Amino acid sequence: MNDLTPNPALNGGGKGQPRLPRLLVVEDDAGLQRQLKWAFDDFEVLCASDRASAIDLLRYEEPDVVTLDLGLPPDPDGVSEGFATLAEILRLKPDTKVIIASGHGERQSARDAIAQGAYDFYRKPVEIDDLALIVRRALNVQQIERENARLSQKSGDDHTVLGGMITADAQMVKAARMIERVANTNVSVMLLGASGTGKELFARGLHEKSNRRAKAFVAINCAAIPENLLESELFGHEKGAFTGAIKTTIGKIEQAEGGTLFLDEVGDIPLPLQVKLLRFLQERVIERVGGRNAIPVDTRVVCATHQNLEKMIAEERFREDLFYRLAEIVVTIPALAERPGDAVLLAKHFLGRFAAEMNPVVKGFAPDALKMLDAWHWPGNVRELENRVKRAVIMAETRLVRAEDLDLERAEPETPEFLNLKAVRELADRKAIRHALARTEGNISGAAKLLGISRPTLYDLLRQYDIQS
């Protein structure tokens, strides 16, 4: 099988003949619709002439690949409706490969579309062979990504990744695998995520997996140091450089020589200092404050932020050239609320540690506490969970931590928009199964009892969703 041949086994085929891959053609030219339908006889070709019908077909048919003409009614001579359609497709089904039609003089629109998440573009008038090559390549990429996502759902029995992080969530496992793949390169890595999601743990994990592990890992929180001191903290200073500089002091960049420097909250670095940091990243030399000598330094940089740097760039509060130097690889870390079952797994881990230190009588969580841990939306992420469990262990008066010991208030989480009812059901099933397995520490009989189903039914669901107990 060559690299342009669809693999039906990866394409969701059930019993009997696997279904054909689905291609959605979003095009208001009926003649071109017919031409593409004839040309792609190895696809199930679906056609839509406007945004509304395209989104209806996306929800109902879940196509693998979409070709999209940006000039759709009611703006056939512009691109506004096409871009709105692209945004809605990627919001509802982010794994869809969207191929944009580009006419003469519209290359910038095609580039903008790719920047917003489109897979590729083709030129009009259509060369069927060229388009077929792009479509089949897109299908193969989509199938490989789907298979990787399926495999990443299977987490190990101990639920640990990247040298100790505890998770059963596919997105966290995917992020950890990405870190492991780039660890032995020298690319700069940017970690994006809300406060308390474990960005420093990821940075440490990257360092431990790299060939720099024998050297220092140095972390600095750029938001915690006053602007007038941050330059000296990063680059060091010479004796007499300023009042109070009674000796030469090396900075964090030099301390991490041969190792890894972790810049937390990099968005808080002031603009003048961003220039100096950019020079270091480009030339790999520094000058201490008050010094004149260029000092070569071999330090790998990993940074993190919870801020929207692209918005800061637009507002001229963060340098675009520095962003691209820091963000050669970008890894997004999901919030705890987006990781079904992880709150209970982590809570049990923290309870074991804190109980041994502070209250050995405590042995676990009562059912109402487990339910509360599942239901809470964790705005402070893992850091909040750790603090709540520590408090609960200290306050607990019985062997089991109760809901009131956690001191949490009930809150209804927001309901996100879904592609269709099937996606809602699958997400609900996955969450419920993850929660039940986490509560019973992987015991199938106990999890089935919690879910109110038989063991064979639970086994069927585990196989269907590729969840490993």
Side-chain angles (χ1 to χ4, degrees):
M1 183 176 293
N2 64 40
D3 62 346
L4 297 180
T5 304
N7 182 356
L10 299 181
N11 207 43
K15 296 178 180 178
Q17 186 69 24
R19 75 165 174 84
L20 291 174
R22 293 188 177 112
L23 170 66
L24 172 58
V25 176
V26 186
E27 168 65 61
D28 62 346
D29 183 332
L32 186 53
Q33 286 184 3
R34 287 193 297 271
Q35 184 181 4
L36 294 179
K37 206 160 191 174
W38 170 83
F40 289 95
D41 56 357
D42 54 342
F43 282 75
E44 181 182 346
V45 180
L46 316 161
C47 295
S49 302
D50 54 39
R51 181 180 10 158
S53 56
I55 298 305
D56 286 344
L57 283 170
L58 181 82
R59 290 181 185 275
Y60 187 71
E61 300 287 355
E62 300 185 38
D64 306 284
V65 182
V66 175
T67 64
L68 172 62
D69 186 356
L70 293 176
L72 293 177
D75 184 24
D77 297 322
V79 295
S80 61
E81 190 67 9
F83 274 101
T85 305
L86 172 65
E88 195 161 357
I89 289 171
L90 296 178
R91 179 173 60 85
L92 291 172
K93 194 170 180 290
D95 64 331
T96 306
K97 300 304 174 195
V98 183
I99 302 165
I100 299 297
S102 170
H104 291 298
E106 296 177 359
R107 290 183 63 85
Q108 186 57 49
S109 294
R111 284 195 289 266
D112 291 344
I114 290 172
Q116 293 179 30
Y119 171 75
D120 207 338
F121 71 95
Y122 68 95
R123 293 180 182 176
K124 283 188 168 184
V126 178
E127 290 287 344
I128 292 297
D129 289 344
D130 292 343
L131 179 57
L133 187 69
I134 297 170
V135 168
R136 288 182 172 84
R137 188 190 303 125
L139 176 64
N140 274 272
V141 171
Q142 201 264 4
Q143 290 172 339
I144 291 167
E145 289 179 353
R146 181 185 296 168
E147 178 69 0
N148 287 341
R150 185 187 71 80
L151 292 174
S152 70
Q153 292 282 352
K154 299 180 178 180
S155 26
D157 291 339
D158 58 359
H159 300 296
T160 59
V161 295
L162 204 62
M165 282 187 293
I166 298 170
T167 185
D169 177 69
Q171 291 303 310
M172 281 289 283
V173 172
K174 180 181 177 182
R177 297 290 177 261
M178 185 181 296
I179 290 291
E180 290 173 348
R181 284 197 297 272
V182 303
N184 276 327
T185 69
N186 281 320
V187 297
S188 299
V189 177
M190 179 174 286
L191 304 171
L192 301 180
S195 296
T197 49
K199 296 189 289 292
E200 184 167 346
L201 279 177
F202 268 86
R204 287 186 181 275
L206 183 148
H207 176 72
E208 291 300 323
K209 291 287 184 180
S210 76
N211 50 18
R212 295 173 176 265
R213 67 182 71 88
K215 300 293 185 177
F217 174 86
V218 178
I220 180 171
N221 188 326
C222 301
I225 299 171
E227 281 190 23
N228 60 330
L229 297 179
L230 185 56
E231 182 179 8
S232 176
E233 283 289 317
L234 283 173
F235 293 91
H237 60 262
E238 298 288 351
K239 180 180 178 181
F242 49 83
T243 303
I246 59 175
K247 64 177 182 177
T248 296
T249 302
I250 68 171
K252 301 293 187 185
I253 294 175
E254 279 186 88
Q255 290 175 30
E257 165 69 33
T260 305
L261 174 68
F262 175 53
L263 299 175
D264 198 7
E265 299 304 343
V266 71
D268 286 88
I269 296 178
L271 276 170
L273 191 52
Q274 291 179 26
V275 177
K276 193 167 182 178
L277 180 60
L278 177 63
R279 179 176 179 243
F280 160 65
L281 292 171
Q282 289 173 333
E283 302 176 17
R284 296 296 164 174
V285 297
I286 65 165
E287 289 182 10
R288 298 179 188 140
V289 177
R292 296 183 179 179
N293 295 326
I295 303 170
V297 183
D298 174 26
T299 297
R300 196 232 189 110
V301 175
V302 180
C303 68
T305 184
H306 72 281
Q307 300 191 63
N308 185 336
L309 292 186
E310 292 182 350
K311 181 180 178 183
M312 293 179 67
I313 290 169
E315 296 170 352
E316 298 185 348
R317 294 188 292 124
F318 199 88
R319 293 181 62 96
E320 185 174 19
D321 46 7
L322 177 59
F323 172 81
Y324 287 114
R325 282 284 179 178
L326 292 170
E328 292 176 311
I329 296 291
V330 177
V331 178
T332 301
I333 304 171
L336 182 57
E338 299 167 355
R339 298 156 47 184
D342 273 12
V344 170
L345 287 173
L346 286 162
K348 289 180 176 180
H349 167 74
F350 292 139
L351 182 139
R353 183 172 37 137
F354 294 136
E357 295 173 3
M358 304 172 185
N359 191 352
V361 173
V362 175
K363 300 300 180 184
F365 291 97
D368 63 343
L370 290 171
K371 188 175 181 180
M372 180 70 79
L373 288 167
D374 273 345
W376 188 242
H377 56 292
W378 301 112
N381 291 293
V382 179
R383 190 176 295 127
E384 178 190 3
L385 173 64
E386 184 176 11
N387 290 338
R388 292 291 183 178
V389 173
K390 181 187 286 188
R391 178 195 184 280
V393 168
I394 294 170
M395 299 302 295
E397 298 177 349
T398 62
R399 291 179 67 255
L400 299 179
V401 168
R402 298 167 300 175
E404 55 263 35
D405 297 325
L406 292 167
D407 194 29
L408 294 171
E409 298 176 359
R410 293 190 177 276
E412 287 295 325
E414 294 184 7
T415 302
E417 185 176 356
F418 292 98
L419 174 66
N420 51 31
L421 187 59
K422 175 186 170 187
V424 177
R425 286 173 176 162
E426 180 174 337
L427 180 63
D429 283 352
R430 287 185 180 277
K431 287 181 70 172
I433 293 168
R434 287 286 189 202
H435 291 325
L437 290 171
R439 288 194 199 182
T440 60
E441 299 182 352
N443 182 281
I444 297 296
S445 296
K449 187 175 180 181
L450 275 178
L451 294 166
I453 58 178
S454 67
R455 285 181 61 194
T457 299
L458 179 53
Y459 276 120
D460 287 343
L461 290 170
L462 292 173
R463 282 192 294 271
Q464 178 181 343
Y465 296 129
D466 288 309
I467 299 173
Q468 187 167 323
S469 61

